[in-house]
Amino acid sequence: MLTVDLYIRVSTDEQADRGYSQRDQEERLRKYCEHNQMTIRHVIYEDHSAKTFERPEWKKLLLELRRRKGQIDFVLFTKWDRFSRNAGDAYHMINLLKKIGVEPQAIEQPLDMSVPENKLMLAFYLAAPEVENDRRALNVFNGMRRARKEGRWMGPAPIGYSNKSKENGDKYIALNEAEAVHLRWAFNELARGNSIPSRSGK
């Protein structure tokens, strides 16, 4: 009977209602193991981004697999984007696991690596999440750039101002008189050539 470890990963920006919840993943993985008569050794839960393999629980798992070489046949996860969202790192990790006799496998995107053509599907499964990450980052960058061009302030309001929202939800910054009065005084003093004492009095 094959022995497996289950790897269950969600990142902080993923929502359970998208089907990424840990409970949902574990249920599907356990049903798969029961159907295929696989023995589950460990269930690993990770709450970390898959952009790299610098993840606390994955590093612990990899160390355990190296120490107990030959005791585990598969590391199972639901989809390849649970394993990695970086194609280059993923290929490196797959080769590393292969050297210690462990095969990573996505139960909902299964691939027989002994079939050469399946490497094309693996490339797609690994590249698609990385492309999605890059597109999301580009959209955020373009959105922020557009907002700056339109004169909108991005992020927390500077000293002397407060973040506000209009009735329609539009964000803007408004003068905070309680802070502004101190800021005006400081600028006036500097304009006169006076130094501004620090809070420590030095």
Side-chain angles (χ1 to χ4, degrees), residues 72-97:
I72 294 296
D73 299 290
F74 290 92
V75 172
L76 298 180
F77 33 88
T78 52
K79 295 183 179 181
W80 284 100
D81 66 351
R82 302 299 90 202
F83 176 67
S84 177
R85 299 180 75 90
N86 182 304
D89 287 353
Y91 281 120
H92 175 75
M93 185 57 65
I94 289 170
N95 288 331
L96 193 156
L97 291 172

Side-chain angles (χ1 to χ4, degrees), residues 139-152 154:
N139 287 344
V140 170
F141 173 80
N142 288 336
M144 293 176 69
R145 184 180 180 187
R146 182 181 180 86
R148 285 194 293 266
K149 282 185 175 181
E150 293 175 353
R152 286 184 281 153
M154 306 300 296

Side-chain angles (χ1 to χ4, degrees), residues 24 47 54 68 82-83 112 149 172 184 186 198:
D24 180 65
D47 183 7
E54 291 299 312
R68 302 182 181 277
R82 302 299 90 202
F83 176 67
D112 182 354
K149 282 185 175 181
Y172 69 101
R184 286 196 198 99
S198 66

